[in-house]
């Protein structure tokens, strides 16, 4: 999984790549040429890269989240190899916002407002997602932000835990998706029953 962003005005000509979630205080840094590797200080596992002066390697249009093509990833891997890094990146162009089907929804045992769902996201894959919306229910078609999605407000969706229960993604509201005419009321966006599970949500 690659989460990438670019903001030339705010950060400079630097492509930021996140491969895993990591606590900042536990990170180490290693720089070779125009590339810095960010790694978990305890395990030495790579959690991200910063590609400085990235316009010398590839062309990036605009600011914000960047969708890397296979050709882009190939160019970045060439840059990694030339700088002396042995790891390689793998392109992932699967949609990060998809139609989900809530197969099961039960109350969280340690919360009076959270629910634990088993939600199908595509090709029969079912993930556990903890949801705080009061209108969540079994059988609904919903919008799921998968792990690695970048929300319109810049929030990156990682796997984690809520009150001790694992959660792999987020079931979204219209307001969180910043859709036009989003209702003021809180609650997840419920899609028509005809929505196809696993298809990319276009908004």
């Amino acid at each position: 999984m690659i989460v990438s962003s670019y903001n030339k005005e705010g950060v400079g000509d630097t492509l930021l790549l996140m491969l895993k979630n990591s606590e900042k205080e536990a990170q180490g840094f290693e720089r070779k040429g125009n590339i810095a590797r960010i790694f978990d200080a305890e395990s030495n596992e790579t959690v991200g890269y910063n590609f400085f002066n990235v316009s010398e390697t590839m062309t990036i249009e605009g600011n914000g989240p960047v969708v890397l093509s296979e050709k882009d990833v190939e160019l970045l891997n060439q840059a990694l190899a030339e700088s002396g890094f042995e790891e390689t990146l793998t392109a992932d162009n699967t949609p990060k916002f998809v139609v989900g089907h809530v197969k099961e929804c039960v109350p969280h045992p340690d919360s009076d407002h959270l629910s634990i769902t088993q939600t199908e996201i595509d090709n029969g894959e079912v993930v556990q997602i903890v949801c705080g919306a009061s209108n969540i229910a079994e059988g609904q078609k919903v919008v799921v932000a998968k792990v690695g999605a970048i929300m319109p407000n810049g929030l990156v969706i990682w796997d984690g835990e809520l009150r001790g229960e694992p959660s792999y993604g987020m079931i979204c509201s219209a307001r969180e998706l910043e859709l036009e005419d989003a209702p003021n009321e809180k609650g997840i966006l419920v899609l028509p029953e005809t929505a196809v599970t696993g298809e990319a949500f276009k908004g």
Side-chain angles (χ1 to χ4, degrees):
M1 179 185 66
I2 302 175
V3 179
S4 54
S5 63
Y6 181 78
N7 185 340
K8 188 171 185 177
E9 287 73 22
V11 179
D13 187 23
T14 303
L15 180 67
L16 308 177
L17 263 60
M18 293 176 282
L19 307 179
K20 292 182 179 294
N21 195 12
S22 176
E23 297 296 332
K24 185 175 292 186
E25 60 268 20
Q27 289 179 351
F29 302 87
E30 169 191 17
R31 180 162 178 170
K32 297 179 182 180
N34 279 333
I35 303 175
R37 181 177 80 100
I38 303 97
F39 57 90
D40 185 295
E42 295 183 357
S43 67
N44 198 39
E45 182 180 24
T46 302
V47 297
Y49 286 100
N50 292 342
F51 287 80
F52 303 104
N53 301 317
V54 71
S55 61
E56 297 177 5
T57 301
M58 56 187 289
T59 300
I60 301 176
E61 301 291 343
N63 291 323
V66 177
V67 177
L68 298 173
S69 67
E70 290 189 7
K71 179 62 176 177
D72 293 333
V73 173
E74 182 181 327
L75 292 171
L76 294 176
N77 280 332
Q78 289 176 3
L80 285 170
E82 290 169 0
S83 295
F85 290 104
E86 296 182 357
E87 292 178 300
T88 57
L89 305 169
T90 302
D92 176 15
N93 292 320
T94 59
K96 295 298 182 286
F97 293 88
V98 299
V99 176
H101 180 206
V102 181
K103 309 285 282 188
E104 179 183 300
C105 181
V106 298
H108 192 297
D110 191 33
S111 171
D112 59 0
H113 71 284
L114 295 175
S115 298
I116 302 172
T117 76
Q118 304 299 323
T119 302
E120 183 179 351
I121 51 176
D122 66 292
N123 295 323
E125 180 184 1
V126 177
V127 295
Q128 178 165 296
I129 301 176
V130 180
C131 180
S134 60
N135 66 326
I136 186 74
E138 183 177 316
Q140 290 172 332
K141 296 290 183 69
V142 296
V143 180
V144 174
K146 296 164 60 175
V147 173
I150 301 178
M151 300 298 293
N153 65 0
L155 175 71
V156 179
I157 303 301
W158 298 106
D159 53 352
E161 288 189 359
L162 287 172
R163 295 285 186 93
E165 289 289 338
S167 186
Y168 302 95
M170 185 173 80
I171 297 175
C172 304
S173 71
R175 293 174 67 183
E176 289 165 335
L177 295 168
E178 296 186 3
L179 301 180
E180 290 186 14
D181 303 320
N184 292 323
E185 299 82 15
K186 293 182 179 180
I188 52 119
L189 175 63
V190 179
L191 301 174
E193 292 184 5
T194 53
V196 178
T197 304
E199 283 196 350
F201 177 75
K202 303 295 187 181

